């Protein structure tokens, strides 16, 4: 059986259909969307299919019936009216100045003005220009116009580190959107997408009738690919991935889930895979960090460092109210809203009392984001950090724990001293990152047991090593060993078997921290008898 042709890098619905690329049919949701309300806003992370959704809406409202052959829309739609569609896309541009935004706005509106014979009398008055264009389109075609806005917030995200510029760009964008509510009588449909949640007052002050569907159960799967869609429609590609990588079919399914699944966008959301990473992995038959490799915004890791956010809860999952993450990014006092809306955190579960649990969605995001944090906790030189982590991983897997502790001591000693960050919380976060990143397949940092948490657990083919660090003069290496015993950190591993069928050897490592030298002090390694 021939494998599917996935539309990698293709976000144009017509091109996908005309070139027989594989398309996960979302047109039943598109039909429901277009026949339920008139004004919408949807937020989703980057590369999650927002632009493809906009393109699908464009083709539908342009009445291009032939493109929907074989899709749900073909049986749902019977009229196929052709509307004038105005697509305003801010995707793919960089807005680092007012002139950059003005150039983009002028280019888009000028093209529409030429199409409908509108004379431009107010060059920088975006709202009046757009209003005249929409009225002209309605009068000349007799059909209600449709307005589709892709990545509305790109100018705001590009200027986040320059509040003065961001305010200026907000004012320009506010001018653009100002006529949309007043023209509601002639508009058929208005749909805006972006990454971040908007602030009603900052950019859509007049457009206060938007139906925000970002966290609606019924539209949770409108972008992305659900677990059901993956395992019902992509079996040949999964088998090919398994064959190439020496895995069973079941192992390949589990690997895909761990790597790319785990997104939830509402209380009762289905499991949603990252579509960009999934189709790349199945097309290239390689499990790699495709989405994360396309670029983590520097502002996110800077926010983590600026607010001194402990990365460990993101790994475990932490309780949050809706106001803590579904909030305007420009008024946030911590990075949680931006991290959630950008796709680095997601809803893990919904609890009673309007409480949610947020956390990393999958291994691609978990390991990629933690690695991106390392320069803020260790060295600016990524190569030095990675070299240390690789050497440490080799040493741990060889069971040379004394050498591993020496490597950790030398590495921490070489980190330039910064009095504003090097306190107990800083070192605890650094140890967490080191152990989480050095051997992702065998290391468990801050591993839970019934009585508490060990700082790190390293499990190799024949041994288990439990580490406990006493930081900031809070105890000796012997105290750390005593805590491993009293809390029973090794108990969960007493029945763990090595590859030869015998019980694994169990080791406990207690270490103290030398506050004066700002690194690991003494350590003791003992085998459990």
């Amino acid at each position: 059986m021939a494998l599917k042709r996935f539309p990698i890098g293709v976000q144009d619905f017509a091109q996908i259909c005309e070139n027989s690329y594989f398309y996960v049919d979302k047109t039943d949701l598109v039909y429901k969307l277009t026949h339920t309300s008139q004004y919408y806003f949807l937020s989703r992370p980057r590369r999650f299919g927002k632009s493809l959704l906009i393109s699908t809406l464009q083709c539908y409202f342009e009445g291009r019936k032939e493109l929907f052959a074989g899709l749900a829309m073909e049986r749902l739609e019977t009229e196929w009216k052709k509307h004038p569609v105005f697509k305003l896309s801010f995707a793919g541009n960089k807005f680092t100045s007012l002139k950059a935004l003005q150039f983009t706005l002028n280019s888009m509106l000028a093209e529409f003005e030429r199409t409908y014979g509108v004379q431009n009398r107010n060059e920088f008055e975006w709202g009046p220009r757009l209003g005249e264009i929409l009225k002209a389109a309605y009068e000349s075609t007799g059909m209600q116009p449709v307005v589709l806005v892709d990545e509305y917030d790109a100018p705001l995200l590009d200027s986040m580190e320059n509040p003065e510029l961001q305010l200026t760009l907000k004012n320009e964008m506010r001018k653009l959107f100002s006529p949309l509510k007043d023209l509601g009588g002639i508009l058929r449909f208005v749909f805006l997408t972006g990454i971040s949640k908007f602030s009603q007052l900052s950019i859509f002050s007049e457009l206060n009738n938007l139906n925000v569907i970002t966290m609606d159960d019924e539209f949770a799967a409108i972008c992305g690919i659900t677990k059901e869609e993956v395992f019902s429609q992509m079996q040949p590609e999964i088998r090919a991935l398994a064959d190439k990588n020496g895995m069973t079919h079941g192992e390949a399914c589990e690997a895909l889930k761990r790597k790319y699944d785990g997104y939830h966008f509402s209380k009762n959301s289905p499991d949603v895979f990252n579509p960009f990473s999934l189709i790349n992995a199945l097309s290239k038959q390689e499990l790699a960090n495709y989405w994360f490799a396309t670029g983590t915004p520097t502002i996110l890791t800077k926010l983590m460092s600026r607010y001194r956010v402990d990365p460990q809860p993101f790994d475990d999952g932490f309780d949050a109210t809706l106001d803590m993450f579904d909030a305007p990014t420009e008024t946030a006092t911590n990075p949680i809203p931006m991290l959630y809306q950008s796709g680095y955190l997601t809803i893990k579960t919904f609890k009673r009392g309007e409480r949610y649990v947020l956390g990393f969605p999958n291994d691609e995001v978990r390991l990629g984001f933690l690695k991106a944090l390392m320069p803020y906790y260790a060295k600016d030189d990524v190569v030095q950090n990675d070299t240390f982590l690789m050497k440490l991983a080799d040493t741990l897997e060889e069971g040379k724990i004394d050498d591993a502790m020496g490597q950790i001591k030398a590495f921490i000693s070489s980190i330039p001293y910064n009095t504003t960050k090097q306190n107990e919380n800083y070192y605890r976060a650094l140890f967490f990152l080191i152990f989480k990143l050095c051997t992702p397949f065998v290391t468990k940092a801050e591993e839970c047991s019934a009585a508490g948490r060990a700082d790190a657990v390293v499990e190799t083919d024949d041994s288990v090593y439990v580490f406990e660090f006493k930081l900031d003069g809070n105890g000796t290496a012997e105290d750390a060993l005593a805590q491993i015993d009293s809390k029973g950190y090794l108990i969960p591993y007493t029945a763990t078997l090595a590859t030869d069928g015998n019980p694994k050897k169990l080791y406990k490592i207690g270490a103290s921290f030398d506050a004066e030298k700002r690194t690991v002090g003494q350590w003791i390694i003992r085998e459990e008898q």
Side-chain angles (χ1 to χ4, degrees), residues 38-97:
Q38 182 183 7
Y39 288 82
Y40 287 100
F41 174 81
L42 173 71
S43 170
R44 284 292 184 269
R46 62 188 174 88
R47 296 186 180 273
F48 250 80
K50 298 187 298 298
S51 296
L52 176 56
L53 176 59
I54 290 283
S55 178
T56 307
L57 287 165
Q58 180 178 5
C59 291
Y60 167 66
F61 280 116
E62 288 175 345
R64 302 179 67 177
K65 179 179 178 180
E66 73 282 359
L67 296 176
F68 294 84
L71 300 176
M73 185 66 80
E74 184 180 35
R75 59 179 171 75
L76 293 170
E77 183 56 78
T78 58
E79 296 183 344
W80 291 102
K81 296 179 180 179
K82 184 175 181 180
H83 296 265
V85 178
F86 297 90
K87 178 181 173 183
L88 302 168
S89 177
F90 298 91
N93 295 308
K94 280 296 178 184
F95 300 95
T96 56
S97 67

Side-chain angles (χ1 to χ4, degrees), residues 43-205:
S43 170
R44 284 292 184 269
R46 62 188 174 88
R47 296 186 180 273
F48 250 80
K50 298 187 298 298
S51 296
L52 176 56
L53 176 59
I54 290 283
S55 178
T56 307
L57 287 165
Q58 180 178 5
C59 291
Y60 167 66
F61 280 116
E62 288 175 345
R64 302 179 67 177
K65 179 179 178 180
E66 73 282 359
L67 296 176
F68 294 84
L71 300 176
M73 185 66 80
E74 184 180 35
R75 59 179 171 75
L76 293 170
E77 183 56 78
T78 58
E79 296 183 344
W80 291 102
K81 296 179 180 179
K82 184 175 181 180
H83 296 265
V85 178
F86 297 90
K87 178 181 173 183
L88 302 168
S89 177
F90 298 91
N93 295 308
K94 280 296 178 184
F95 300 95
T96 56
S97 67
L98 174 59
K99 286 186 177 180
L101 177 58
Q102 290 176 333
F103 177 82
T104 298
L105 292 175
N106 188 61
S107 296
M108 289 190 291
L109 297 185
E111 182 177 350
F112 297 145
E113 287 163 341
R114 287 191 293 271
T115 300
Y116 292 97
V118 176
Q119 184 176 352
N120 173 16
R121 300 182 182 88
N122 306 291
E123 183 177 4
F124 296 112
E125 295 299 323
W126 317 117
R129 287 179 66 181
L130 179 59
E132 288 184 33
I133 292 166
L134 294 173
K135 290 175 186 175
Y138 180 60
E139 291 169 0
S140 65
T141 65
M143 298 297 293
Q144 294 174 299
V146 170
V147 178
L148 306 174
V149 183
D150 193 15
E151 303 286 10
Y152 88 94
D153 55 347
L156 309 185
L157 295 177
D158 285 349
S159 57
M160 277 194 70
E161 294 193 274
N162 186 339
E164 184 177 350
L165 174 61
Q166 188 181 63
L167 179 60
T168 300
L169 300 188
K170 280 180 186 177
N171 290 332
E172 293 296 293
M173 297 293 283
R174 185 184 295 127
K175 294 178 188 177
L176 175 68
F177 297 127
S178 61
L180 293 181
K181 183 180 180 182
D182 292 339
L183 293 175
I186 70 167
L187 296 178
R188 166 64 178 88
F189 189 78
V190 176
F191 189 81
L192 302 99
T193 75
I195 293 174
S196 60
K197 180 181 174 69
F198 62 85
S199 169
Q200 197 80 31
L201 296 177
S202 70
I203 191 166
F204 299 129
S205 54

Side-chain angles (χ1 to χ4, degrees), residues 492-505:
Y493 304 96
T494 53
T496 306
L497 299 180
T499 52
D500 61 6
N502 293 315
K504 288 189 176 183
K505 296 178 181 179

